[in-house]
Structure formats: C-alpha cells, structure tokens
Amino acid sequence: AQTVTQSQPEMSVQEAETVTLSCTYDTSENNYYLFWYKQPPSRQMILVIRQEAYKQQNATENRFSVNFQKAAKSFSLKISDSQLGDTAMYFCAFMKPNDYKLSFGAGTTVTVRA
Amino acid sequence: SAVISQKPSRDICQRGTSLTIQCQVDSQVTMMFWYRQQPGQSLTLIATANQGSEATYESGFVIDKFPISRPNLTFSTLTVSNMSPEDSSIYLCSASPLAGDNNEQFFGPGTRLTVL
C-alpha cells in the first residue's frame, strides 16, 4: 500500500489570506494520480483538485492550486483568498493507474476565521 | 459526474446485530468502493464492490464481517455483521464513472453508525 503523509493536523487562516497544506507520499511508481479532497462538517467528500504525475504543470482550480514536486514526492495545496466556506478537513490521496483505489492521508483540519 | 446517495444516513444499533447500508448511483459506473472513516480520522478502504462477482477485500477486512453485494452497475450494499462498539464509524460509498484516464471518484454522504 502507498503511504500518504499529512504532517499538519490543524491549520487556521484568516479570511482572505492564503494557507498551504503539505502532503508527501511514498511510491515506487513512475505514473500515478494525486488528489486533494475536501470534507466539510456535512461529511460530503468533494474533489478539490487532481494532478497526473506525468504532467509537469501544476494543476489549478480557481483559488486552489498545487505545488507538485515529483522528485521530492511532495504535493502541497494552496488555498488563496480563503473563504469561510473553505472550513473543512482536507485529505491528500494517491492512486495508482488502472487501480482506482485511493490511499488517503490522515487529513488536515482547516479553519477559516472571520 | 455521478451523484451518490446512501441509506440510512445514520443508525444506532445494538451489539450483535447486523446493518445493511445501501448505495445508489444516478448513472452506471465501472467501479464502486466502500470506505470506513472513524470519527475525526482518515478513510480506510474496506473493499471494491465488483459487479457480478465477489467483492475484493483489503487487508484486515473479511467477507464474513462485511458482506458486499453489487447486483448491477448502479447499486451496492455493505452489511456490517455481528456488530460491536468498535464498528462505530462512518461508512462511505464511492464510485468511479469511467475507466481510462479519468480516475475521479465521487463519494456518497456517508452512513454514521453507532453501536451500543
């Protein structure tokens, strides 16, 4: 099984500020997929952003962007212009190609303060 | 995309009983999965629900404890058998609509199970 590590259990950010969540992973695969999922208090898991390992360009989705460092096996998520609705638990996840099974990190609870 | 519903949304059960959780997808999907999430914790994959064949279980999970059915491409059930308080968790169903390069998984809202 792949190991996904999120070393920040909790983070707090002021509304409109930027916060960066860290994620590292361990794999011997050359090609794979990485994801960030958001789970608000409602429990609904929502895909925030995905990155294919064979793509060098970092993925961006509106206020969410990633810093993918393949050699370092690092996949951090930056939330810009934080909004109160961003308050949630964020999970980093890894998937091998043609496997479709997700390995999740422990999660980071993000609280956006008004 | 896929919209996934689960029933029940929550339940409180007595130890020694069994509970069956239903997962319904609004479109045909290739892959369906069941995860367990203990309160405040991460998600752990229980098994892959295979259409027309036995589910594939991850290490630490067995069919006798977590029997799974998948009679068609839009529906699956997970049964938690002979429950104990340690089974108290959120159980989530997920689905991946397409094979190939699009590996996005969609999740149901989860079933919160409390075992007394």
Side-chain angles (χ1 to χ4, degrees):
Chain A
Q2 314 304 314
T3 302
V4 180
T5 302
Q6 292 180 248
S7 58
Q8 304 151 312
E10 296 181 1
M11 298 204 62
S12 180
V13 61
Q14 193 72 34
E15 194 175 11
E17 298 292 308
T18 295
V19 63
T20 299
L21 313 181
S22 66
C23 172
T24 59
Y25 55 93
D26 182 27
T27 185
S28 58
E29 303 284 337
N30 184 53
N31 192 25
Y32 46 87
Y33 301 88
L34 296 164
F35 305 84
W36 278 98
Y37 278 88
K38 168 185 176 181
Q39 187 179 42
S42 66
R43 296 203 311 259
Q44 182 71 56
M45 292 281 284
I46 302 164
L47 178 66
V48 175
I49 200 165
R50 66 192 292 266
Q51 174 84 41
E52 293 88 346
Y54 62 83
K55 291 186 178 178
Q56 293 186 337
Q57 186 173 7
N58 289 323
T60 299
E61 287 289 341
N62 300 315
R63 299 181 295 106
F64 299 88
S65 61
V66 298
N67 183 4
F68 173 50
Q69 300 291 327
K70 190 173 183 180
K73 297 180 182 176
S74 171
F75 182 61
S76 61
L77 174 70
K78 183 170 79 171
I79 307 174
S80 303
D81 186 24
S82 297
Q83 301 176 359
L84 296 178
D86 295 334
T87 292
M89 198 158 186
Y90 288 80
F91 292 98
C92 179
F94 175 100
M95 180 192 289
K96 291 193 291 187
N98 302 317
D99 190 21
Y100 304 104
K101 295 187 289 188
L102 289 167
S103 297
F104 285 91
T108 297
T109 299
V110 173
T111 302
V112 181
R113 306 185 310 273
Chain B
S1 66
V3 177
I4 302 175
S5 59
Q6 287 184 232
K7 290 181 181 179
S9 60
R10 60 177 60 222
D11 207 342
I12 300 173
C13 301
Q14 297 296 320
R15 70 170 67 210
T17 63
S18 298
L19 176 73
T20 296
I21 303 167
Q22 298 179 3
C23 176
Q24 179 73 56
V25 190
D26 69 342
S27 57
Q28 292 186 344
V29 294
T30 53
M31 312 291 289
M32 294 183 74
F33 304 91
W34 287 97
Y35 291 84
R36 182 171 72 182
Q37 183 182 25
Q38 295 179 315
Q41 303 296 315
S42 186
L43 285 76
T44 300
L45 180 64
I46 297 172
T48 303
N50 300 310
Q51 195 269 325
S53 64
E54 196 170 278
T56 305
Y57 290 84
E58 298 299 306
S59 176
F61 298 96
V62 295
I63 188 171
D64 290 346
K65 177 66 176 178
F66 297 101
I68 289 170
S69 78
R70 189 173 173 198
N72 56 50
L73 293 176
T74 63
F75 186 79
S76 178
T77 66
L78 168 75
T79 299
V80 186
S81 302
N82 188 25
M83 288 184 284
S84 67
E86 292 71 35
D87 295 321
S88 296
S89 272
I90 298 168
Y91 292 86
L92 295 105
C93 169
S94 75
S96 186
L98 297 171
D101 195 46
N102 186 347
N103 292 296
E104 182 171 353
Q105 275 191 34
F106 297 88
F107 284 81
T111 296
R112 182 182 292 275
L113 171 62
T114 302
V115 184
L116 303 177

